Amino acid sequence: MIYFDNAATSWPKPPGVAEAMVRFLEEVGANPGRAAHRRAIEAGRIVYEAREAICELFGAPDPLRVVWCKNVTEALNLALRGLLRPGDHVVTSSMEHNSMMRPLRALEQDEIDLTVVNCSPQGMLDPADVKAAIHPHTRLVALNHASNVVGTLLPVAAVGAICRQHDVLLLVDTAQTGGAYPIDMQADQIDLLGFTGHKSLGGPMGTGGLIVGERVDETQIEPLVRGGTGSRSEHEIQPDFLPDLGESGTPNAVGLAGLLVGVRWVLARGIDTIRAHEVALAQRLIEGLRSIPGVTVHGTLDAELQTATVSFNVIGMASSEVGLRLDDEYAIMCRVGLHCAPAAHKTMGTFPHGSVRFGLGSFNTIDEVDAALAAIATLAQET
Ligand SMILES: Cc1ncc(COP(=O)(O)O)c(C=O)c1O
C-alpha cells in the first residue's frame, strides 16, 4: 500500500501521536482551563505546551497569541472575517485554496474590495505584482505559502517586506508548508499565520490555529463565535484578549495532545532534514514522470521551488480513471480531479478536468516513488 495523499492529510502520524491521544482520554480526561483540580491543570499544561511547540516551529514569540481552531479554514475565516471592514482592500493570489478564496469572495459582498493577482501557469507569484496592487485602502495581503494543487512555493518573505513598507498586514495560509518547509513569522514578516494540524505537523484532524502577530491589534478582531472561555467568568461580554477572544467553548484537547507530539517530532527531526527528504522524493518523481511518454507534469518542474506535491495528467485518460486504477490495481492512494482550488486550476490550465495529485510526505520512500512511476508508465502505455 502506498499513501500519496499527504497533501490532503498526512499518514501515518509520527510515533507517539496516537498514544498521547489515548493517554489524554484515559489518564487526563479533564477540561483545560475550566477548573483548578490536578487533572484540569494537567490538561491545561498539555494545551499550553502545544502552543509553545507551535511558536517554536513558526518563530512566533508569544504562545498566548496562538488561537486554537479546528483547522486552517476556521483560522483563515477568523483572520478575514475578524479583521476586515467595509471599504478595506485585500490582495490575494490566483493560486489560493477555497479556504481563502471563498471567505474573500463572500466578503466582497460586504463591500470589501478584492484584487486577485495572477500567477504564472507554473503557479509562481511575482512580488512586484503584489506591490503594484497595493493602494491606500489596502489592509491585508492574503496568500497561501504553497499551492495545494501543484506545490509551487509563493515568495512570502519578499511579500512580507513589501507589506511592511506599505503598512499592510500579511496573512499566510501554511496548510501545505507547516512542518515541511522552513517558516519564521518574524524573519518572513508574517502578521497572521494560519496552520492546520493534520498535514505535515503530524497531528490529528480537528486541530489548527491562527497565530496573531504583534502588529495586529487584537481588540479589533471580531470573534467568529462567542461563549465560555474559562476566563472572566463574571462577565457576560466576550473577552477582548488573546487567545480567549477566539477560543470559545471546550477545545479539542485530545487532538492538541496528539498535535503536541507531532510538532515535537517535526522539531526533533529538524525542518531542514524533512525538507531535504521531500526535495529528493519530489525531484525523483518529477524527473521520472517527465520521462514517461504521454504524461504532462504541471508546475515548476524544480523540486527546490515547490513542496513534495506533484500534479500531472496522463494524456488520453481522465484523472479519475488514473486514480481509480492506481487504487484498484496498485494500492496507490492519491487525489484526482479539482483540488478545492478552482482559481489555481484556471491559472495552470487544468480547469475543469483537473489533475492527478501525488502528495508525498515524510514517511514516503524513493522505492515507493519508483513503484508509482512504474505503475504510471504501464497506464500511459495503454493510451
Ligand atoms: C493551501 C490549503 N489551504 C487550506 C486548506 C484547508 O485545510 P483544512 O481542511 O485543514 O482547513 C488546505 C487543505 O487541503 C490547503 O491545502
Side-chain angles (χ1 to χ4, degrees), residues 7-9 70-76 95-100 144-149 173-177 195-199 205-208 335 339-340 357:
T9 287
K70 67 176 187 287
N71 47 42
V72 73
T73 302
E74 189 174 271
L76 298 176
M95 289 304 288
E96 299 306 309
H97 190 278
N98 268 342
S99 299
M100 188 77 92
N144 65 26
H145 193 189
S147 159
N148 67 305
V149 180
D173 166 8
T174 67
Q176 291 297 324
T177 51
F195 62 90
T196 209
H198 63 100
K199 301 190 201 256
M205 298 175 192
T207 58
R335 181 158 175 191
H339 311 293
C340 300
R357 182 183 76 176

Side-chain angles (χ1 to χ4, degrees), residues 22-195:
V22 171
R23 177 183 170 267
F24 190 97
L25 285 167
E26 291 184 349
E27 296 174 28
V28 184
N31 203 318
R34 302 295 197 273
H37 58 76
R38 70 192 73 179
R39 292 286 191 90
I41 288 170
E42 171 65 357
R45 183 189 63 75
I46 291 168
V47 170
Y48 191 79
E49 286 184 4
R51 294 187 201 280
E52 289 180 320
I54 285 289
C55 284
E56 188 179 342
L57 182 68
F58 289 120
D62 184 355
L64 293 178
R65 296 182 79 87
V66 176
V67 180
W68 296 124
C69 301
K70 67 176 187 287
N71 47 42
V72 73
T73 302
E74 189 174 271
L76 298 176
N77 273 271
L78 174 61
L80 298 170
R81 284 237 157 251
L83 279 167
L84 295 172
R85 304 285 179 270
D88 286 343
H89 173 240
V90 182
V91 179
T92 192
S93 87
S94 70
M95 289 304 288
E96 299 306 309
H97 190 278
N98 268 342
S99 299
M100 188 77 92
M101 204 57 103
R102 285 182 175 172
L104 284 172
R105 289 297 183 202
L107 282 163
E108 269 188 308
Q109 311 301 312
D110 300 338
E111 287 166 43
I112 275 132
D113 186 19
L114 179 64
T115 301
V116 181
V117 173
N118 273 327
C119 296
S120 74
Q122 292 73 35
M124 300 183 85
L125 175 72
D126 185 345
D129 292 341
V130 174
K131 188 173 180 174
I134 291 175
H135 65 60
H137 293 293
T138 309
R139 180 98 192 282
L140 184 76
V141 174
L143 297 177
N144 65 26
H145 193 189
S147 159
N148 67 305
V149 180
V150 74
T152 309
L153 288 155
L154 274 69
V156 290
V159 173
I162 292 168
C163 287
R164 292 286 155 107
Q165 282 161 13
H166 292 81
D167 198 22
V168 167
L169 297 174
L170 174 61
L171 165 66
V172 177
D173 166 8
T174 67
Q176 291 297 324
T177 51
Y181 188 86
I183 306 169
D184 186 309
M185 240 184 125
Q186 286 179 308
D188 297 342
Q189 307 193 72
I190 298 168
D191 297 300
L192 294 141
L193 185 149
F195 62 90

